[in-house]
Amino acid sequence: MIAKGFKGKYFSLAAIVATVSMANLQATASTVMQKEHELAKEKSKEKTAKDESSTIELDNIVVEAEGIKSYELRAGSNYEVYTSKDIENSKSIDLIDFLNRYTSVNISSTYGNIFTPKIDIHGFGLSSGFENVVILIDGKRINNIDLLPPLLSSIPLESVEKIEILKGSGSVIYGDGSTAGVINIKTKPSEGFNYKIFKGNYKTLGTTFSGGISGEGAFGYFYIDSYRSKGFREITADIPESREKKISSLFDITFFPNDDIDFTIQATNSKIKNYYANSLTKDQFEDDPKQEGNPNWAGYTYNYQIIKDRTVSFDLNYKINSNFKINLSHSKTDRFSEYVLSNYISRYDYKQYDLKLNYENGGFDWIFGVSKFDGDRENISNTTSKNSYDYYMNLSNIFEKHKLSLGYRRGKVEYKYDPNNGNDLSDSNSNHSITLGYNYQISNNSSFYANFTRAYQFPDIDRFFSYDFFTNSFVFNNFIDTMITKTYTIGFNKITKDQKLKISAFYIDVKNEIYYNPATYTNTNLDKTEKKGIDLEYRKKINGYLTGNLFYTYLIAKTKEDDIKDYEDKNLPGVAKHNITLSLNFKYNRFYTNISHIYRSSMYALDDFKNSFKQKQKPYNSTDISLGYELKKNFEIFAKMDNIFNYKNGVWIKDDVIYPENCVRRYYIGIKGNF
């Protein structure tokens, strides 16, 4: 069934675009693709001819987060793209460190838990912004069906080939939960044996080992990644010395019997044990942010969580002919989470199924896909599920300097609550996404684009069901609805061999933004909210040895209308107006250094929807430096120091409820290499 208002308004537009595209395709496709290939060849020549001392790539990179491959310059959406060379030059310790310090993404620990960070893009807030961002590892979602943030720490940075951050778009391909955008992480199996070992203060030790081997018609790859640390917070209880502990592994084998087929089997496994201290008052925080937290209702000054995650996936790619490609994928995830002190255990069972058909012919590309997701969470009293079924299509057509894109997705979700007492609850809902994009190539190195995206977020199971204390049972949460966003973006890109400039302005109109109301202890909706701002990305190759990067986001997020009048015309909490990331990379022969600074302006505490708390979150500052020296081609030593000036950073939940974060000086020294 087509949604009300869609059939007349959008379906006719799709028909017009498709008809015009096919009528002009034969006349323009050959010329367009010839120019595209010539541009790619020129870029390849420039890359080869670069001085080896260059520290960042400024090439016109191919992006693929929206399903159809396109050069970065020709994309009709707001993209940030980072290659393996960008990642290597950042000298980050792990993936979370890189995203936090070298991109526009706002990341914070979850009440002190560093392994499952909270994520915000475009002002959906640190409290629950992670629910508005779809995070993909090689095309597989790692988001949860409840309020447990994604396990980003499970992926070693050394295995990452490319990171694409798609802001304000992506909902046609990825559906539910991509209202703010998508973080698409692509890994890179490599041959040989690679290692990284580092030590740091607070008894920190990290190791990564990986290796790959190829044979006739097959390639195998593995990694083992571990991390442990005492952490900088004090906990006087009798607990293990390694309070923050993680180990992850991957085994991957790909078969390619011929040039048209490849089949991949992959298994990943992660285990995390994390003791993290409770909150402090403002006086305690200012006196010593490392001190022990305040006791909770049960008398504990800390939390202890165990997470186990195991995923097995299968991918088949088949090139039917020169125009058609088909992809089949399936993954199964078993996840376990236990808050040990409260004996709260959850077991998750996720199954993902995806079928995609790609067609490429000159300047005309389209993708059609269907997907299915089955998610169950089981605990001591019930099993709750959130299952979805979706189909989508995305079209892209190039007419000389013009590029048009159009996409549509229809999604349906089914909820089921199955308690041990047999009082089942079930419900379903459906919604749709739309994307309209336009790109005009002004010259060989500059372009203008405009984009409109309609997206939706179905409530997760923690918000959709609530506990009725009068009946002593769970019921449907009648205070909550599906969130709808309409995002408008215009932008300008300029990419040359010496600089990359991207600037865009965006406006997001939100209906039924989902949030937790701390005053009434309910999950509900804000009737109407808005987010608007400017994104700026500027990278400059200053000379053969020095490059600089600047990322700046100006952002205003406010409520427009709400039944609770005290919440109208207020700044949304957990959102900084100014976000700045600066870095300088210097490389000469075998020596390199990287200096960076991150700044986020003050913001309202995460629970302060009335903007009435006495305490606001202080500005966030951190200056970091890394040094390295390549002793020989395949071996280097490195050192890194975070928060050089010992800024006291923290996350304010409410008055006198502060979780210290990156508020001490930390250093690391290590070696890395391959053979």
Side-chain angles (χ1 to χ4, degrees):
M1 180 179 177
I2 297 175
K4 182 179 179 181
F6 176 80
K7 185 173 183 180
K9 187 175 181 181
Y10 295 108
F11 187 77
S12 58
L13 177 59
I16 291 170
V17 172
T19 302
V20 174
S21 299
M22 294 305 295
N24 290 276
L25 176 61
Q26 298 302 322
T28 62
S30 178
T31 303
V32 170
M33 289 308 294
Q34 183 178 355
K35 290 182 178 180
E36 290 281 334
H37 288 306
E38 288 175 355
L39 177 61
K41 289 179 181 179
E42 289 301 316
K43 292 294 180 181
S44 179
K45 290 178 182 178
E46 291 171 3
K47 181 177 179 180
T48 303
K50 280 183 179 182
D51 186 335
E52 289 185 357
S53 61
S54 174
T55 57
I56 64 171
E57 292 180 351
L58 294 176
D59 298 304
N60 188 14
I61 304 166
V62 173
V63 293
E64 51 192 313
E66 291 187 280
I68 296 174
K69 292 183 179 180
S70 170
Y71 283 106
E72 189 180 5
L73 189 66
R74 300 308 312 273
S77 306
N78 186 352
Y79 266 100
E80 288 179 34
V81 188
Y82 304 92
T83 66
S84 57
K85 190 172 182 181
D86 296 322
I87 295 167
E88 167 65 21
N89 291 327
S90 75
K91 305 305 175 185
S92 300
I93 291 297
D94 55 32
L95 178 59
I96 296 173
D97 180 44
F98 177 82
L99 290 173
N100 188 42
R101 301 180 191 279
Y102 298 98
T103 77
S104 66
V105 177
N106 194 345
I107 289 186
S108 171
S109 66
T110 302
Y111 309 118
N113 189 334
I114 65 171
F115 295 119
T116 56
K118 297 209 170 188
I119 301 168
D120 179 34
I121 294 177
H122 277 179
F124 285 86
L126 282 177
S127 180
S128 57
F130 65 92
E131 292 188 277
N132 298 273
V133 181
V134 170
I135 300 175
L136 305 158
I137 307 296
D138 292 328
K140 310 296 187 302
R141 279 178 179 252
I142 64 170
N143 302 73
N144 285 295
I145 62 172
D146 59 8
L147 287 171
L148 179 67
L151 191 59
L152 261 179
S153 58
S154 63
I155 308 102
L157 192 61
E158 284 67 32
S159 71
V160 176
E161 179 182 18
K162 185 165 62 174
I163 299 173
E164 299 174 351
I165 300 172
L166 180 58
K167 294 182 282 188
S169 189
S171 61
V172 164
I173 302 298
Y174 304 109
D176 178 24
S178 52
T179 43
V182 176
I183 299 177
N184 183 37
I185 301 168
K186 186 177 181 181
T187 60
K188 54 165 188 180
S190 57
E191 288 190 273
F193 181 77
N194 306 276
Y195 60 91
K196 181 175 84 171
I197 303 171
F198 65 88
K199 294 194 69 175
N201 57 343
Y202 300 103
K203 299 186 177 180
T204 300
L205 174 65
T207 60
T208 303
F209 300 99
S210 65
I213 185 170
S214 60
E216 185 175 353
F219 179 82
Y221 176 74
F222 81 95
Y223 69 66
I224 299 175
D225 180 61
S226 70
Y227 173 91
R228 67 172 185 257
S229 177
K230 181 182 178 182
F232 69 89
R233 295 289 304 279
E234 293 293 332
I235 300 176
T236 58
D238 184 17
I239 60 176
E241 187 173 62
S242 294
R243 301 170 186 171
E244 302 167 347
K245 192 172 182 179
K246 175 201 76 171
I247 184 165
S248 300
S249 62
L250 172 145
F251 297 93
D252 178 298
I253 185 167
T254 299
F255 302 94
F256 37 93
N258 55 53
D259 293 339
D260 297 329
I261 298 176
D262 64 78
F263 177 64
T264 301
I265 303 173
Q266 185 181 96
T268 63
N269 191 70
S270 297
K271 184 175 181 179
I272 286 171
K273 292 184 177 181
N274 190 18
Y275 296 83
Y276 50 103
N278 290 349
S279 65
L280 301 175
T281 66
K282 184 180 180 182
D283 289 342
Q284 290 172 327
F285 176 77
E286 291 179 346
D287 178 55
D288 180 12
K290 299 189 299 296
Q291 67 180 284
E292 189 166 25
N294 294 311
N296 60 16
W297 61 271
Y300 296 106
T301 61
Y302 64 96
N303 280 288
Y304 176 29
Q305 185 180 16
I306 298 173
I307 299 176
K308 300 176 185 178
D309 185 282
R310 183 175 65 249
T311 298
V312 178
S313 63
F314 307 89
D315 282 274
L316 172 66
N317 294 291
Y318 175 48
K319 184 179 179 181
I320 301 172
N321 55 41
S322 59
N323 301 122
F324 283 97
K325 298 177 183 177
I326 191 169
N327 170 261
L328 292 167
S329 66
H330 168 62
S331 66
K332 185 180 187 305
T333 299
D334 296 310
R335 189 166 293 155
F336 171 90
S337 171
E338 179 182 6
Y339 291 92
V340 178
L341 302 182
S342 58
N343 195 31
Y344 184 79
I345 297 174
S346 297
R347 292 179 172 86
Y348 303 82
D349 182 13
Y350 297 158
K351 298 181 182 69
Q352 299 183 56
Y353 308 85
D354 290 282
L355 167 64
K356 287 184 276 190
L357 180 64
N358 287 77
Y359 175 82
E360 298 178 1
N361 186 358
F364 181 70
D365 302 318
W366 61 261
I367 180 172
F368 173 78
V370 293
S371 64
K372 184 175 185 292
F373 175 85
D374 295 334
D376 296 331
R377 183 189 69 185
E378 179 186 0
N379 56 37
I380 193 171
S381 62
N382 65 78
T383 299
T384 309
S385 63
K386 180 181 180 182
N387 303 328
S388 61
Y389 313 86
D390 302 68
Y391 65 87
Y392 58 89
M393 177 179 284
N394 202 19
L395 308 173
S396 176
N397 202 356
I398 297 176
F399 306 93
E400 294 291 344
K401 295 184 177 182
H402 306 274
K403 180 180 178 182
L404 294 174
S405 58
L406 170 66
Y408 175 73
R409 183 185 187 101
R410 188 71 179 176
K412 181 179 180 180
V413 65
E414 295 181 349
Y415 296 95
K416 186 175 181 181
Y417 170 73
D418 184 9
N420 295 342
N421 62 16
N423 185 23
D424 294 0
L425 298 172
S426 62
D427 198 5
S428 63
N429 200 349
S430 60
N431 220 294
H432 65 274
S433 295
I434 304 164
T435 294
L436 298 169
Y438 171 72
N439 179 291
Y440 176 73
Q441 187 167 350
I442 301 169
S443 67
N444 284 340
N445 55 34
S446 62
S447 65
F448 163 85
Y449 68 88
N451 182 276
F452 166 77
T453 295
R454 183 192 191 276
Y456 60 89
Q457 180 193 340
F458 294 128
D460 66 53
I461 60 174
D462 283 336
R463 300 184 188 272
F464 195 71
F465 300 96
S466 60
Y467 190 75
D468 188 333
F469 289 94
F470 294 101
T471 62
N472 195 32
S473 63
F474 276 84
V475 297
F476 285 116
N477 184 356
N478 296 320
F479 299 100
I480 202 159
D481 294 305
T482 298
M483 183 173 75
I484 306 296
T485 62
K486 296 178 180 179
T487 302
Y488 307 84
T489 307
I490 57 172
F492 171 80
N493 299 323
K494 184 173 183 179
I495 302 173
T496 70
K497 65 179 181 179
D498 294 324
Q499 67 176 356
K500 179 179 289 188
L501 171 65
K502 296 182 180 181
I503 186 168
S504 63
F506 60 89
Y507 177 80
I508 310 174
D509 185 35
V510 187
K511 180 181 178 181
N512 298 327
E513 181 163 355
I514 298 172
Y515 80 108
Y516 176 74
N517 187 336
T520 60
Y521 305 102
T522 57
N523 289 291
T524 184
N525 302 99
L526 292 164
D527 292 340
K528 291 186 178 181
T529 60
E530 64 179 6
K531 296 96 166 48
K532 53 188 175 182
I534 296 172
D535 285 319
L536 171 66
E537 174 185 347
Y538 184 61
R539 307 192 198 187
K540 174 68 175 177
K541 181 178 176 181
I542 300 170
N543 56 42
Y545 309 105
L546 185 65
T547 57
N549 305 313
L550 166 65
F551 295 90
Y552 171 66
T553 298
Y554 173 77
L555 179 60
I556 296 176
K558 302 191 71 171
T559 54
K560 295 168 63 178
E561 298 178 18
D562 194 68
D563 289 339
I564 304 176
K565 298 303 180 183
D566 288 343
Y567 288 178
E568 284 190 351
D569 195 30
K570 303 295 184 183
N571 291 293
L572 288 169
V575 178
K577 181 179 289 188
H578 302 282
N579 299 267
I580 302 172
T581 301
L582 287 165
S583 65
L584 283 173
N585 301 314
F586 176 80
K587 185 175 183 181
Y588 181 76
N589 290 333
R590 296 182 176 182
F591 172 78
Y592 67 80
T593 184
N594 177 289
I595 301 174
S596 65
H597 183 82
I598 183 170
Y599 168 81
R600 299 187 189 108
S601 59
S602 64
M603 63 184 80
Y604 289 96
L606 268 57
D607 286 351
D608 192 8
F609 286 91
K610 293 183 180 180
N611 298 172
S612 61
F613 291 176
K614 295 179 181 179
Q615 300 172 14
K616 290 181 67 175
Q617 179 164 323
K618 292 171 55 178
Y620 180 101
N621 283 279
S622 182
T623 304
D624 316 305
I625 186 171
S626 59
L627 304 168
Y629 186 76
E630 298 174 358
L631 295 176
K632 54 184 180 180
K633 183 178 180 180
N634 298 322
F635 178 76
E636 68 177 73
I637 59 173
F638 65 90
K640 188 174 189 292
M641 183 177 290
D642 294 339
N643 198 9
I644 299 171
F645 301 110
N646 230 15
Y647 291 108
K648 290 184 178 180
N649 298 308
V651 178
W652 268 250
I653 308 301
K654 57 183 68 176
D655 288 341
D656 281 335
V657 180
I658 303 167
Y659 286 88
E661 178 176 56
N662 190 30
C663 58
V664 296
R665 188 181 297 114
R666 301 199 68 161
Y667 60 82
Y668 312 90
I669 186 168
I671 59 173
K672 63 187 301 185
N674 60 82
F675 55 85

